[in-house]
Amino acid sequence: MKNMIKDAAVLFVITVAAGLILGFVYQITKEPIALAEEKAANEAYAEVFPGASSFEEREAADPSGDGIWQEQYQSVKIDKALEAKDGSGTLLGYVLTVTSREGYGGDITFTMGIRLDGTLNGISILSISETAGLGMKAEAVLKPQFENRNVSQFTYTKSGAVSDDQIDAISGATITTNAVTTAVNGGLYYFQTQLGGNS
């Protein structure tokens, strides 16, 4: 009985000590991690909207009440909407941070820059956990295909894109291709319906 109490006390002390150490480490690393994430986000904004001098966050409207959004984009989340402005404060377009919940390996988060005329400057992937050698090719295969396209939405094909609104699917990674394409389309729809579109 004494040994059990002693073992329990030792285990308790170890657990408390480990908890305190983890809490201490978290407090030390929390700020550097937040700064690194902010730096990565700012670099992504500049990548998808290179002509902008500043990015001002605006309140992201909730499109969930929209019937089309519910039908086609319920797996898409608009995390953040920013106004991209030039040095004189003139609005050039928008940067959206978008998350797809349909990735094969989990959520896929990226930024996308859209000019006022509806041209998609491109996307910059912030977070992806797809299968190595397949879905992880999204950066190399999918990303370049979205650059400087002015279409209302994209489709993907396995037989070779023949128009501006088509994207070549990643071979062997249709789920990843679908997740990214749907999320980009969700971002474009959000731009058209919540941010004034290309009118």
Side-chain angles (χ1 to χ4, degrees):
M1 183 71 175
K2 284 184 180 179
N3 283 342
M4 282 180 61
I5 292 171
K6 182 181 174 185
D7 290 345
V10 168
L11 186 59
F12 176 74
V13 170
I14 291 171
T15 303
V16 169
L20 289 171
I21 290 169
L22 284 172
F24 179 70
V25 169
Y26 171 74
Q27 288 301 323
I28 290 174
T29 59
K30 179 172 68 170
E31 189 174 338
I33 289 171
L35 288 172
E37 288 175 349
E38 183 181 352
K39 181 174 185 264
N42 286 330
E43 288 172 354
Y45 303 155
E47 181 183 344
V48 298
F49 224 116
S53 299
S54 66
F55 301 96
E56 296 176 16
E57 189 170 353
R58 60 180 284 164
E59 186 176 346
D62 180 8
S64 61
D66 181 306
I68 293 174
W69 185 273
Q70 280 295 334
E71 185 181 327
Q72 298 181 25
Y73 307 117
Q74 60 182 334
S75 64
V76 178
K77 181 173 182 269
I78 304 297
D79 300 306
K80 193 179 284 190
L82 302 105
E83 295 179 345
K85 297 183 175 180
D86 66 15
S88 65
T90 302
L91 181 65
L92 301 174
Y94 298 92
V95 172
L96 302 177
T97 302
V98 183
T99 296
S100 168
R101 299 185 190 101
E102 288 191 329
Y104 184 79
D107 289 353
I108 301 171
T109 301
F110 58 87
T111 59
M112 56 190 290
I114 310 168
R115 290 180 233 157
L116 291 178
D117 69 354
T119 300
L120 177 63
N121 289 336
I123 69 171
S124 179
I125 296 174
L126 295 173
S127 173
I128 186 169
S129 302
E130 300 298 87
T131 307
L134 294 172
M136 289 302 284
K137 291 182 178 178
E139 183 83 24
V141 177
L142 295 180
K143 181 180 163 182
Q145 296 186 69
F146 290 109
E147 293 176 2
N148 297 313
R149 301 281 185 100
N150 191 329
V151 299
S152 59
Q153 67 175 16
F154 292 92
T155 58
Y156 63 89
T157 176
K158 297 178 183 179
S159 58
V162 294
S163 62
D164 277 354
D165 63 350
Q166 289 187 326
I167 298 296
D168 284 323
I170 303 170
S171 179
T174 307
I175 293 173
T176 305
T177 303
N178 180 64
V180 173
T181 305
T182 300
V184 168
N185 287 342
L188 290 173
Y189 183 78
Y190 183 88
F191 164 75
Q192 293 155 9
T193 59
Q194 304 295 326
L195 299 174
N198 50 5
S199 55

